[in-house]
Amino acid sequence: MATEADREEPIDPDVDVHVAEQRGELVRTHGAVLLVIALGGGLGALARYAVGVLLPIGAWATFGVNVLGCLLIGVLMVLIHEVWSVHRLLRPFIGVGVLGGFTTFSTYAVEFAGLLRPGSVLPAGLYLVGTVLGALLAVLAGVALTRSIVGKQVQQ
């Protein structure tokens, strides 16, 4: 529970939202980033919805979307940080927006809670651990695969 002192402190110590002139600073400095994240998030969520319509298999669709999204995050991070020189808004648009909207770890948590019933603890535990391991391994695979492909092109 927030105390009176918490309510008095500004969220960003450089910007006091109680001062009208400073409120505009947030829009000027972060507005474009927030806009591209929102646009990318909408596109990612639409893509996830399409997967759910095409493959209505519940938790397996969620598992597949999360693992695929994590693979693509690994690919994106290598391309953006090691290969390309990109516009400053590309990473928040694709990485946070599109891939953040595409993956759905909140649905994963809800599905895990739904699976966690007497008599189905093992499948729930496998889903819990399998998704985390699958996502982490997918990121590593995306990084390794992308580095192996672009590393050869960069050296030539």
Side-chain angles (χ1 to χ4, degrees):
M1 181 170 184
T3 65
E4 188 64 35
D6 292 335
R7 284 184 225 123
E8 295 298 322
E9 292 293 321
I11 294 171
D12 183 344
D14 296 334
V15 177
D16 185 352
V17 293
H18 297 99
V19 178
E21 296 82 28
Q22 292 186 13
R23 271 183 257 153
E25 183 180 331
L26 288 176
V27 174
R28 285 190 302 277
T29 58
H30 303 300
V33 173
L34 294 175
L35 179 63
V36 297
I37 289 172
L39 292 173
L43 293 174
L46 286 173
R48 177 172 26 100
Y49 176 76
V51 169
V53 170
L54 295 173
L55 303 170
I57 49 177
W60 283 109
T62 303
F63 176 83
V65 160
N66 286 335
V67 170
L68 176 62
C70 287
L71 177 80
L72 295 174
I73 287 170
V75 170
L76 177 71
M77 290 301 112
V78 170
L79 292 177
I80 285 180
H81 289 288
E82 299 175 15
V83 180
W84 297 334
S85 176
V86 298
H87 190 276
R88 69 178 187 92
L89 296 177
L90 185 64
R91 189 172 86 175
F93 174 70
I94 296 175
V96 179
V98 174
L99 294 176
F102 182 69
T103 57
T104 177
F105 286 92
S106 57
T107 302
Y108 152 73
V110 170
E111 288 174 347
F112 166 71
L115 287 172
L116 193 57
R117 299 184 192 285
S120 65
V121 172
L122 182 60
L126 290 174
Y127 183 62
L128 177 73
V129 174
T131 297
V132 172
L133 287 177
L136 290 173
L137 291 174
V139 170
L140 294 175
V143 167
L145 181 66
T146 307
R147 281 183 178 158
S148 72
I149 293 170
V150 298
K152 293 176 185 173
Q153 293 174 350
V154 171
Q155 292 173 357
Q156 292 176 354

Coordinates of all heavy atoms in Angstrom, one line a residue, residues 59 62-63 66 103-116 124 127-128 131-132:
A59 N -3.1 -25.1 -24.6 CA -1.8 -24.9 -24.0 C -0.7 -25.2 -25.0 O 0.4 -24.5 -24.9 CB -1.6 -25.8 -22.7
T62 N -0.1 -22.1 -27.0 CA 0.6 -21.1 -26.1 C 2.1 -21.5 -26.0 O 2.9 -20.6 -26.2 CB -0.1 -21.0 -24.8 OG1 -1.5 -20.7 -24.9 CG2 0.6 -20.0 -23.9
F63 N 2.3 -22.7 -25.8 CA 3.7 -23.2 -25.7 C 4.4 -22.9 -27.0 O 5.6 -22.4 -27.0 CB 3.7 -24.7 -25.4 CG 5.1 -25.3 -25.4 CD1 5.9 -25.2 -24.2 CD2 5.6 -25.9 -26.5 CE1 7.2 -25.7 -24.2 CE2 6.9 -26.5 -26.5 CZ 7.7 -26.4 -25.3
N66 N 5.1 -19.1 -27.5 CA 6.1 -18.6 -26.6 C 7.5 -19.1 -27.0 O 8.5 -18.3 -27.0 CB 5.8 -19.0 -25.2 CG 4.7 -18.2 -24.6 OD1 4.4 -17.1 -25.0 ND2 4.0 -18.7 -23.6
T103 N 4.3 -13.2 -28.0 CA 4.4 -14.1 -26.9 C 3.4 -13.8 -25.8 O 2.9 -12.7 -25.7 CB 5.8 -14.1 -26.3 OG1 6.1 -12.8 -25.8 CG2 6.9 -14.5 -27.2
T104 N 3.0 -14.8 -25.0 CA 2.0 -14.6 -24.0 C 2.3 -15.4 -22.8 O 1.7 -16.5 -22.6 CB 0.6 -14.9 -24.6 OG1 -0.4 -14.8 -23.6 CG2 0.5 -16.3 -25.2
F105 N 3.1 -14.9 -22.0 CA 3.5 -15.6 -20.7 C 2.4 -15.4 -19.7 O 2.4 -16.1 -18.7 CB 4.9 -15.1 -20.3 CG 5.9 -15.8 -21.1 CD1 6.4 -15.1 -22.2 CD2 6.4 -17.0 -20.8 CE1 7.4 -15.7 -23.0 CE2 7.4 -17.7 -21.6 CZ 7.9 -17.0 -22.7
S106 N 1.6 -14.4 -19.9 CA 0.4 -14.2 -18.9 C -0.6 -15.4 -19.2 O -1.1 -15.9 -18.2 CB -0.2 -12.9 -19.1 OG -0.7 -12.7 -20.4
T107 N -0.8 -15.7 -20.4 CA -1.7 -16.8 -20.7 C -1.1 -18.1 -20.2 O -1.8 -19.0 -19.7 CB -2.0 -16.9 -22.2 OG1 -2.6 -15.7 -22.7 CG2 -2.9 -18.1 -22.6
Y108 N 0.2 -18.3 -20.4 CA 0.9 -19.4 -19.8 C 0.7 -19.6 -18.3 O 0.4 -20.7 -17.8 CB 2.4 -19.3 -20.2 CG 3.4 -19.9 -19.2 CD1 3.6 -21.3 -19.2 CD2 4.2 -19.1 -18.4 CE1 4.5 -21.9 -18.4 CE2 5.1 -19.7 -17.6 CZ 5.3 -21.1 -17.6 OH 6.2 -21.6 -16.7
A109 N 0.8 -18.5 -17.6 CA 0.5 -18.5 -16.2 C -0.9 -18.9 -15.8 O -1.2 -19.7 -14.9 CB 0.9 -17.2 -15.5
V110 N -1.9 -18.4 -16.6 CA -3.3 -18.7 -16.4 C -3.5 -20.2 -16.7 O -4.2 -20.9 -16.0 CB -4.2 -17.8 -17.2 CG1 -5.6 -18.3 -17.2 CG2 -4.1 -16.4 -16.7
E111 N -2.9 -20.7 -17.8 CA -3.1 -22.1 -18.2 C -2.4 -23.0 -17.2 O -3.0 -24.1 -16.8 CB -2.5 -22.3 -19.6 CG -3.4 -21.7 -20.6 CD -2.8 -21.8 -22.0 OE1 -1.6 -22.1 -22.2 OE2 -3.6 -21.5 -23.0
F112 N -1.3 -22.6 -16.6 CA -0.7 -23.4 -15.6 C -1.6 -23.5 -14.4 O -1.8 -24.6 -13.8 CB 0.7 -22.8 -15.2 CG 1.2 -23.4 -13.9 CD1 1.7 -24.7 -13.8 CD2 1.2 -22.6 -12.7 CE1 2.2 -25.2 -12.7 CE2 1.7 -23.1 -11.6 CZ 2.2 -24.5 -11.5
A113 N -2.1 -22.4 -14.0 CA -3.0 -22.4 -12.8 C -4.3 -23.3 -13.1 O -4.8 -23.9 -12.2 CB -3.5 -20.9 -12.5
G114 N -4.8 -23.3 -14.3 CA -5.9 -24.1 -14.7 C -5.5 -25.6 -14.6 O -6.4 -26.4 -14.3
L115 N -4.3 -25.9 -15.0 CA -3.9 -27.3 -15.0 C -3.6 -27.8 -13.6 O -3.6 -29.0 -13.3 CB -2.6 -27.5 -15.8 CG -2.7 -27.4 -17.3 CD1 -1.3 -27.3 -18.0 CD2 -3.5 -28.6 -17.9
L116 N -3.3 -26.9 -12.7 CA -2.8 -27.3 -11.3 C -4.1 -27.7 -10.5 O -4.6 -26.9 -9.8 CB -2.1 -26.2 -10.7 CG -1.3 -26.5 -9.4 CD1 -0.3 -27.6 -9.7 CD2 -0.6 -25.2 -8.9
A124 N 0.9 -30.3 -15.0 CA 1.0 -28.8 -14.7 C 2.5 -28.5 -14.5 O 3.0 -27.5 -15.0 CB 0.2 -28.4 -13.5
Y127 N 4.4 -28.6 -17.7 CA 4.1 -27.4 -18.5 C 4.8 -26.2 -18.0 O 5.4 -25.4 -18.8 CB 2.6 -27.1 -18.5 CG 2.1 -26.0 -19.4 CD1 2.3 -26.0 -20.7 CD2 1.5 -24.9 -18.8 CE1 1.9 -24.9 -21.5 CE2 1.1 -23.8 -19.5 CZ 1.3 -23.8 -20.9 OH 0.9 -22.8 -21.7
L128 N 4.8 -26.1 -16.7 CA 5.5 -24.9 -16.0 C 7.0 -24.9 -16.4 O 7.6 -24.0 -16.9 CB 5.4 -25.0 -14.5 CG 6.1 -24.0 -13.7 CD1 5.4 -22.6 -13.8 CD2 6.1 -24.4 -12.2
T131 N 7.9 -25.0 -20.4 CA 7.8 -23.7 -21.1 C 9.0 -22.8 -20.9 O 9.6 -22.2 -21.8 CB 6.5 -23.0 -20.7 OG1 5.4 -23.8 -21.1 CG2 6.4 -21.6 -21.4
V132 N 9.4 -22.8 -19.6 CA 10.6 -21.9 -19.3 C 11.8 -22.5 -20.0 O 12.6 -21.7 -20.6 CB 10.8 -21.8 -17.8 CG1 12.1 -21.1 -17.4 CG2 9.6 -21.1 -17.1

